[in-house]
Amino acid sequence: MKYLIIFKGMKKILILSLGFFMSCSHSDFKKLDVSKVNPLNELNLEAISKVLDSVSDSQPINILNWKDYEYAPQVAFKMAHSESMIYLKFKVIEEHIVAKRTETNSSTHRDSCVEFFIDPDNSGGYYNFEFNCIGTTHLAYGPDRSNRTFIDKDLIESQLFIASTLGSEPFEEKSGKFEWELVAAIPSSLFVYHKDLNFNGLNSKANLYKCADDSQKPHYLSWSKVVTNRPDFHRPEFFGSVHFKNN
């Protein structure tokens, strides 16, 4: 009977594994090569946007993983690096925008929000950068949803550059048709659990998202496919592969 129980357990695991691979084709796990650029002399929205437009193709954040949330704004990102800095640009077109949170490490995902989750060195822990549409930032580190440690808010506010075409003042939800862009310059110093991090040649795992929990049309989109029963971005097993080029 002991062996029968073990066998049944093994069979159940096998069935789950087959179901997992049937749900996720090879193409669902995205791959991205991130171009290297010279460090920018000045960090502002225009400069970051210009350099990203010159070296990076737009990557869509357009996968609808959960049938209960069918609204899909148009979302794309561009990314580059300069060894000690990651440059990001998000472009969004959507019907509703909301930005109530202004406090660093508040619940920015409830607003119109774009997100960048990254495990820099495939060590199992990842950083979740969550930016609402006016640049308020939520940043923590850990191996999963339940075990996270906030990055010090003073460090975030002093080290991170972020700017949005919507400005930085909070507002209640607006409806219509809105197009906005957000850029960020993320220094390696914010990766506090990875001392002396250099992006040159680094192979990482990451996913990028768009959400808005408190919008009239809540939505949850991802760059790399997520296979769960309900919305959950804290699933590093579904991160795509990101290679930071060294030339």
Side-chain angles (χ1 to χ4, degrees), residues 25 61 64 99 111 115 166 218:
S25 68
I61 301 175
L64 290 169
D111 292 336
E115 304 184 351
L166 295 176

Side-chain angles (χ1 to χ4, degrees), residues 7 59 86 96 185 219 233:
F7 175 75
Q59 303 293 324
I86 294 175
H96 307 278
H219 51 272
F233 291 163

Side-chain angles (χ1 to χ4, degrees), residues 14 36 47 68 76 97 122 131 160 199 238:
L14 177 61
K36 181 181 178 181
D68 291 337
I97 54 173
N122 292 287
F131 312 116
L160 175 71
F199 299 111
F238 300 114

